[in-house]
Amino acid sequence: MATKRPLTLRDVSEASGVSEMTVSRVLRERGDVSVATREKVLTAAKELGYVPNKIAGALASQRVNLVAVIIPSMSNMVFPEVMMGISEVLDETPLQPVVGLTHYKPGKEEQVLYEMLSWRPSGIIMAGLEHSDACRTMLKASGVPIVEIMDVDGTAVDSMVGISHRRAGRMMAQEIAAQGYKRIGFLGTKMPMDHRARKRFEGFTEALAKNGIEIADQEFYDGGSALAKGREMTADILHRSPDLDFLYYSNDMIGAGGLLYLLEKGVKVPEDIGLAGFNGVELLQGLPKKLTTMDACRKDIGRKAAQIIATRCMDDQNDAPQTIELEPIISLGDTLMRS
Amino acid sequence: MATKRPLTLRDVSEASGVSEMTVSRVLRERGDVSVATREKVLTAAKELGYVPNKIAGALASQRVNLVAVIIPSMSNMVFPEVMMGISEVLDETPLQPVVGLTHYKPGKEEQVLYEMLSWRPSGIIMAGLEHSDACRTMLKASGVPIVEIMDVDGTAVDSMVGISHRRAGRMMAQEIAAQGYKRIGFLGTKMPMDHRARKRFEGFTEALAKNGIEIADQEFYDGGSALAKGREMTADILHRSPDLDFLYYSNDMIGAGGLLYLLEKGVKVPEDIGLAGFNGVELLQGLPKKLTTMDACRKDIGRKAAQIIATRCMDDQNDAPQTIELEPIISLGDTLMRS
DNA sequence: ATGAAAGCGCTAACAC
DNA sequence: GTGTTAGCGCTTTCAT
């Protein structure tokens, strides 16, 4: 089987005896075409197995129905859910998401953005608000709608939709302080580039301070199975500070590990030690006790972001930049005492 | 801020006083260009914030360094790992992966493939061996290297790399029978389109039969949190068939749910009941007991598939189709007795 | 080492 | 309702 030249419109045109232009119209369902010619064209195209060349189409029409989605990672459960929200909305439009991963590295982010922009997407959805100057410049120069997602604690290039992680941290601290916990430990990741985790932590300590409480101890991890790390870190921090009465985890996975560990040890949760995580992952439904956590409205964020892009691209309404702040929802669970 | 026309090569050409052609050469690092002009061009390009238009570039050069990766889903931990293997290899080349999701629906698969082909990718990596006739036709007509991954029990359009799921099922059955378990239950998903799970089940029952054992009971689920479903299903099947002494789960997540449930109930695992799953997810590291499972070599599959595509695209060696069968590795864990 | 001309496969804009 | 013409922004090829 020789490597064959891919089929072109011209091939379909010749096979059907209709001009290239009309073939193009039929295939794009644009403009009026008589039923007879339409049939001829469709038949010819199908028989040949013709697949339109979007590269040429995009160049000619100056339109690419692609939305660049730039996120840190796909492996921690949080972004797949955002993606679902995005797809749900874009599926109703001719737009298609294309994702690029940054792995929380600013350098990679810049590179991925450049790469994406070189395909001239119709819109951009990007996680976070902190980007290099180069990124901001490219974004502004792109001339397409941009939505920064997940976070609203900062300044957006264009639109943003997310939650306030500072506020989320404060809310959880309030809840914990209100239940009378005093000796609080914080367990998180070692990622300096995870700005949202950082903001949560800042809000958390700030609200604790207002209640006259200081973080008693902290522990950070890096890589490996989060569930296993949650166990280890919990063991370590309690070994070092046995008098802790509450553990705040920066994500649900390590929280779940901690919970499993404490339960095995026979520690009474939440009486002896209270626990809380962040994110509301589906996994938690299957745990022996429901971990107290906070839902970051991930799917909703995806939906809202996609909606902004879609209306701006389709209706071509050059809308003003929007800011949508969603309310993180606390899920009390069974690992925090309730008065 | 008026919507600005995106920059073109011409803009850089004018700004630097160098012909478009030479600018193009500098930007692509092809052909000899004097250091002086090179500097001029680079400076101008950076100052303007020029981003090359790949659409035009691809059309002119008839080359698109994109590899289409078509997989069912990103949310069950198995494909993200395959993606890592793919990226790892493609990162060393000019090729870039672009993923499309089928959600285990043949109709969607066809649609996604068509969409992808219309961008004229340099290669295609596709999960599974069972595709509609339309898909096979498109694949063959595409004229680019194709690697079907995950499974080798069947016929590939071109190359394939994966494990034999039938064999994996047989291996686990052997192990279970060898340990003297007799009353075996199977718990899986309701997905008729998950051919690999089906093949594992077939191999499993076949090998059991050779040992004079028949599946004693089965249970299927559909949607929801896999961990929670694992609990429910385990409760249900044991309620119905209290005499079961082994449970084989079609994936590790429901297996983990079952394990957690049984441990809470005070059931002795693996003495009273043995347990096994499939896939070797990282999560398992944090469980109270290590679930017996089988590693499907997902990352390796990704790597090998990407290598095939890369060599065929780059070195342009029109290599013959390859078949690479990887060995699934059984991980004995603590939920199966060991003699 | 640099430039000019001719397309790549399609669609916008206009004829008819 | 259908066809013609002229590009889209690059790269290839060939001159210089």
Side-chain angles (χ1 to χ4, degrees):
Chain A
M1 168 171 89
T3 306
K4 41 202 130 184
R5 173 185 59 75
L7 297 164
T8 70
L9 256 193
R10 169 172 226 100
D11 294 309
V12 183
S13 164
E14 283 169 1
S16 61
V18 176
S19 80
E20 284 186 45
M21 198 51 234
T22 303
V23 173
S24 170
R25 280 198 268 258
V26 171
L27 263 20
R28 283 177 303 143
E29 313 183 32
R30 219 175 287 280
D32 295 310
V33 181
S34 75
V35 188
T37 42
R38 150 181 236 80
E39 286 309 313
K40 266 196 292 188
V41 169
L42 254 20
T43 313
K46 180 160 288 179
E47 275 186 2
L48 294 173
Y50 171 70
V51 177
N53 185 333
K54 288 213 176 166
I55 311 236
L59 183 60
S61 67
Q62 301 285 58
R63 263 178 291 113
V64 189
N65 285 330
L66 259 26
V67 176
V69 180
I70 302 178
I71 55 184
S73 145
M74 272 298 229
S75 46
N76 51 16
M77 288 295 86
V78 11
F79 292 103
E81 224 169 307
V82 175
M83 284 308 303
M84 286 187 185
I86 293 177
S87 304
E88 198 180 282
V89 172
L90 295 190
D91 275 355
E92 308 292 300
T93 75
L95 298 169
Q96 289 220 333
V98 182
V99 351
L101 305 180
T102 68
H103 302 289
Y104 289 100
K105 292 186 210 135
K108 185 81 180 164
E109 177 172 274
E110 217 168 294
Q111 189 185 322
V112 169
L113 177 60
Y114 184 86
E115 194 62 42
M116 292 276 188
L117 284 177
S118 72
W119 289 103
R120 302 287 187 267
S122 303
I124 301 169
I125 295 177
M126 203 161 180
L129 293 168
E130 12 290 298
H131 313 292
S132 70
D133 285 344
C135 281
R136 306 181 89 87
T137 308
M138 284 194 265
L139 287 170
K140 281 181 196 147
S142 75
V144 299
I146 297 155
V147 184
E148 287 164 273
I149 57 171
M150 309 315 284
D151 191 2
V152 296
D153 293 326
T155 311
V157 171
D158 177 357
S159 293
M160 61 180 158
V161 12
I163 64 167
S164 161
H165 285 262
R166 259 189 250 283
R167 179 141 167 271
R170 285 199 304 265
M171 282 168 65
M172 191 56 94
Q174 270 313 344
E175 209 62 48
I176 293 167
Q179 293 306 321
Y181 292 104
K182 303 266 184 241
R183 300 281 305 160
I184 296 165
F186 178 83
L187 322 242
T189 58
K190 238 181 218 136
M191 280 193 283
M193 299 326 283
D194 188 343
H195 299 281
R196 295 178 287 285
R198 196 201 70 227
K199 289 172 187 174
R200 264 175 346 250
F201 182 65
E202 287 169 5
F204 187 69
T205 51
E206 178 200 319
L208 283 186
K210 280 200 183 138
N211 285 273
I213 303 174
E214 257 184 48
I215 295 282
D217 197 355
Q218 2 188 147
E219 180 86 20
F220 296 93
Y221 83 105
D222 190 9
S225 157
L227 203 64
K229 286 291 176 188
R231 284 172 175 271
E232 283 175 35
M233 294 166 76
T234 305
D236 290 352
I237 202 171
L238 287 177
H239 180 74
R240 208 167 49 226
S241 313
D243 62 334
L244 294 179
D245 63 6
F246 200 94
L247 301 176
Y248 182 43
Y249 296 86
S250 77
N251 70 62
D252 280 347
M253 213 57 174
I254 55 176
L259 174 61
L260 251 23
Y261 169 80
L262 292 172
L263 257 23
E264 270 170 56
K265 282 280 186 193
V267 175
K268 278 202 163 52
V269 176
E271 296 81 0
D272 297 347
I273 297 191
L275 259 37
F278 182 81
N279 251 338
V281 307
E282 195 186 49
L283 174 92
L284 299 186
Q285 301 306 326
L287 255 27
K289 258 180 212 255
K290 238 180 122 225
L291 184 69
T292 296
T293 189
M294 202 167 246
D295 180 9
C297 319
R298 299 183 300 274
K299 199 162 175 188
D300 227 35
I301 288 178
R303 268 194 290 251
K304 292 258 174 16
Q307 268 152 14
I308 295 179
I309 297 285
T311 42
R312 287 238 232 146
C313 286
M314 302 291 92
D315 315 356
D316 215 34
Q317 327 166 176
N318 212 336
D319 278 336
Q322 291 183 50
T323 291
I324 303 185
E325 176 173 352
L326 269 26
E327 291 273 317
I329 296 155
I330 197 158
S331 155
L332 261 348
D334 311 317
T335 64
L336 177 98
M337 284 205 287
R338 295 148 97 148
S339 44
Chain B
M1 168 171 90
T3 306
K4 41 202 133 189
R5 173 184 60 73
L7 297 163
T8 70
L9 256 192
R10 167 170 227 102
D11 296 307
V12 183
S13 164
E14 283 169 3
S16 61
V18 177
S19 80
E20 284 186 45
M21 198 50 237
T22 303
V23 173
S24 169
R25 279 198 269 258
V26 172
L27 263 20
R28 281 177 304 143
E29 314 185 32
R30 219 175 286 284
D32 296 309
V33 180
S34 75
V35 188
T37 43
R38 147 180 240 81
E39 287 309 315
K40 266 195 293 186
V41 170
L42 254 19
T43 314
K46 179 160 289 177
E47 276 186 2
L48 294 174
Y50 172 70
V51 177
N53 184 333
K54 286 213 178 165
I55 310 238
L59 182 61
S61 67
Q62 302 285 57
R63 262 176 292 112
V64 189
N65 284 330
L66 259 26
V67 176
V69 180
I70 301 177
I71 56 183
S73 146
M74 271 300 228
S75 48
N76 51 15
M77 290 292 86
V78 9
F79 292 103
E81 222 168 308
V82 175
M83 284 308 303
M84 287 186 182
I86 293 176
S87 305
E88 196 180 284
V89 172
L90 295 190
D91 274 354
E92 307 293 300
T93 74
L95 298 170
Q96 288 221 336
V98 182
V99 352
L101 305 180
T102 69
H103 302 288
Y104 289 100
K105 291 186 210 131
K108 184 83 180 163
E109 177 171 274
E110 219 167 291
Q111 187 186 326
V112 169
L113 177 60
Y114 184 85
E115 195 63 41
M116 291 276 189
L117 285 178
S118 72
W119 290 102
R120 301 288 187 266
S122 303
I124 301 168
I125 295 178
M126 202 160 181
L129 293 168
E130 12 292 297
H131 312 293
S132 69
D133 284 344
C135 281
R136 306 182 90 87
T137 308
M138 283 194 266
L139 287 170
K140 280 181 196 148
S142 75
V144 299
I146 296 155
V147 184
E148 287 164 273
I149 58 171
M150 309 315 285
D151 190 3
V152 296
D153 294 326
T155 312
V157 171
D158 178 356
S159 292
M160 59 179 161
V161 12
I163 64 166
S164 162
H165 287 260
R166 259 187 251 283
R167 178 139 167 273
R170 285 199 303 265
M171 282 168 66
M172 191 55 93
Q174 271 312 342
E175 211 61 49
I176 293 167
Q179 293 305 322
Y181 293 105
K182 302 267 185 241
R183 300 279 306 160
I184 297 165
F186 178 84
L187 321 242
T189 57
K190 240 181 217 135
M191 280 192 284
M193 299 327 282
D194 188 343
H195 299 283
R196 296 179 286 286
R198 196 200 70 225
K199 289 172 187 174
R200 279 195 309 274
F201 182 66
E202 289 169 3
F204 187 70
T205 52
E206 177 199 319
L208 283 185
K210 281 200 182 136
N211 284 273
I213 303 175
E214 257 184 49
I215 295 284
D217 197 355
Q218 2 192 144
E219 181 88 18
F220 297 92
Y221 82 104
D222 190 7
S225 156
L227 204 63
K229 286 291 175 186
R231 283 172 176 272
E232 285 175 35
M233 293 165 76
T234 305
D236 291 351
I237 203 172
L238 287 177
H239 180 74
R240 206 168 46 226
S241 313
D243 62 332
L244 294 179
D245 63 5
F246 200 94
L247 300 176
Y248 181 43
Y249 296 86
S250 76
N251 70 63
D252 279 348
M253 214 56 176
I254 54 175
L259 174 61
L260 252 25
Y261 169 82
L262 292 172
L263 257 25
E264 270 170 53
K265 281 279 181 190
V267 175
K268 278 202 161 57
V269 177
E271 296 82 359
D272 296 347
I273 297 192
L275 257 37
F278 182 81
N279 251 338
V281 307
E282 197 186 48
L283 174 92
L284 298 186
Q285 302 305 326
L287 255 26
K289 256 176 212 256
K290 236 179 122 226
L291 184 69
T292 297
T293 188
M294 202 167 246
D295 180 9
C297 319
R298 299 183 300 271
K299 197 162 175 184
D300 227 35
I301 288 178
R303 268 193 289 252
K304 292 256 172 22
Q307 268 151 14
I308 294 179
I309 297 285
T311 43
R312 287 235 233 149
C313 287
M314 301 290 92
D315 315 355
D316 214 36
Q317 324 167 175
N318 211 332
D319 279 336
Q322 289 183 52
T323 291
I324 302 184
E325 176 172 352
L326 270 26
E327 291 272 316
I329 296 154
I330 197 158
S331 156
L332 260 350
D334 311 316
T335 65
L336 177 97
M337 287 207 283
R338 297 149 97 148
S339 44

